[in-house]
């Protein structure tokens, strides 16, 4: 079946450090891939997405590239801020079904 | 444009009771999906509605049900509550159902606590 695996947290970084959160997926067909972010006490916000192989999604300094050959969609940011502290979810959706399939989430804590 | 709204934001119930949660999608959005978020199981899909019809259903017992009204608002109901039903219930809306190109916008969630 379809699934998403992302690196376990929590990840603790100092402000201005480089961030990578790994995400790999298993899916039939050609899924679209997403990164969502959840701030404390809130719902999910879409951070970025990519709908086909080699697409790069980007938003607010975050980037992720859809790598079909490695079935990966790693999230990166060159310089994190304290305000980036949140839980990040990698997710996929296939053309066959309307449900998002999420990874387990990675908690990021950025210290000043 | 107002976002997805969910009511109530917090609920406390006891085992055996039933509960109804409400979701109002973004204006013009016709598809509504529900997800359960727990520390142990993460985010799991419950169901998806479009044009008052359930299109997809996740792997949850029959105690979990939902419906959608003609104005696209949706409700989900959980009967005979169990302690394990304690969770954050998230509603998401999109312009159309399913597929890769219909971005889902999430509400703030309803935090259900079962005692």
């Amino acid at each position: 079946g379809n699934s998403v695996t992302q690196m376990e947290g929590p990840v603790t970084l100092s402000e201005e450090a480089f961030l990578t959160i790994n995400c790999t997926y298993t899916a039939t067909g050609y899924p679209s891939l997403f990164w969502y972010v959840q701030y404390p006490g809130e719902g999910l916000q879409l951070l970025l997405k990519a709908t086909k192989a080699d697409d790069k999604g980007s938003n607010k300094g975050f980037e992720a590239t859809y790598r079909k050959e490695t079935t990966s969609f790693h999230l990166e940011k060159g310089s994190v801020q304290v305000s980036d502290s949140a839980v990040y979810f990698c997710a996929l959706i296939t053309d066959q079904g309307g449900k998002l399939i999420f990874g387990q989430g990675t908690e990021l804590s950025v210290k000043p | 444009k107002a976002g997805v709204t969910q009511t109530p934001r917090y609920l406390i119930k006891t085992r055996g009771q039933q509960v109804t949660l409400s979701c109002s999608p973004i204006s013009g959005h016709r598809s509504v999906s529900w997800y359960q978020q727990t520390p142990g199981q993460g985010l799991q899909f419950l169901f998806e509605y479009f044009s008052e019809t359930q299109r997809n259903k996740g792997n949850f017992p029959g105690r979990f049900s939902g419906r959608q009204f003609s104005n696209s608002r949706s409700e989900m109901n959980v009967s005979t509550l169990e302690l394990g039903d304690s969770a954050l219930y998230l509603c998401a809306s999109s312009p159309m159902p399913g597929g890769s190109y219909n971005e889902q916008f999430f509400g703030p969630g309803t935090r259900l606590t079962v005692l």
Side-chain angles (χ1 to χ4, degrees):
Chain A
N2 300 324
S3 66
V4 175
T5 303
Q6 56 183 107
M7 64 187 283
E8 290 193 25
V11 173
T12 302
L13 296 173
S14 297
E15 206 165 22
E16 299 184 2
F18 185 85
L19 168 71
T20 299
I21 300 177
N22 290 336
C23 170
T24 57
Y25 68 90
T26 301
T28 54
Y30 302 93
S32 288
L33 303 173
F34 305 83
W35 277 100
Y36 281 87
V37 58
Q38 185 175 36
Y39 298 100
E42 298 184 12
L44 300 174
Q45 298 177 26
L46 178 65
L47 184 58
L48 53 84
K49 68 177 182 181
T51 58
K52 62 183 187 298
D54 299 325
D55 267 2
K56 177 186 281 188
S58 61
N59 186 27
K60 300 181 181 178
F62 291 89
E63 292 183 340
T65 301
Y66 189 144
R67 301 286 189 200
K68 190 166 175 59
E69 63 276 10
T70 55
T71 61
S72 65
F73 192 55
H74 305 321
L75 182 68
E76 296 182 336
K77 187 176 185 183
S79 177
V80 293
Q81 306 300 313
V82 172
S83 57
D84 294 326
S85 298
V87 181
Y88 293 81
F89 292 91
C90 185
L92 69 81
I93 195 168
T94 69
D95 284 333
Q96 287 74 38
K99 64 177 183 179
L100 283 162
I101 296 169
F102 290 91
Q104 65 269 44
T106 301
E107 182 181 359
L108 170 66
S109 177
V110 181
K111 306 298 184 186
Chain B
K1 190 181 274 192
V4 177
T5 57
Q6 294 187 243
T7 56
R9 291 291 312 276
Y10 302 91
L11 265 179
I12 299 176
K13 293 286 187 179
T14 56
R15 279 180 298 174
Q17 288 186 309
Q18 75 165 17
V19 67
T20 299
L21 313 181
S22 180
C23 171
S24 293
I26 291 171
S27 178
H29 285 195
R30 298 170 59 195
S31 178
V32 172
S33 298
W34 289 88
Y35 296 83
Q36 181 197 63
Q37 184 177 21
T38 60
Q41 299 298 315
L43 281 152
Q44 293 186 287
F45 171 79
L46 280 156
F47 15 68
E48 178 192 27
Y49 286 90
F50 174 72
S51 291
E52 303 177 64
T53 301
Q54 187 180 92
R55 291 187 74 247
N56 282 295
K57 185 172 170 28
N59 190 23
F60 280 82
R63 300 184 297 106
F64 291 80
S65 63
R67 60 179 174 167
Q68 187 181 34
F69 302 95
S70 58
N71 62 358
S72 297
R73 191 177 70 85
S74 177
E75 289 182 347
M76 66 163 282
N77 183 276
V78 187
S79 62
T80 319
L81 284 165
E82 301 178 359
L83 295 179
D85 297 333
S86 295
L88 181 67
Y89 290 88
L90 292 164
C91 169
S93 79
S94 61
M96 292 293 286
S100 306
Y101 295 94
N102 289 297
E103 178 182 333
Q104 296 189 23
F105 295 83
F106 284 80
T110 294
R111 171 74 63 186
L112 171 64
T113 302
V114 182
L115 302 176

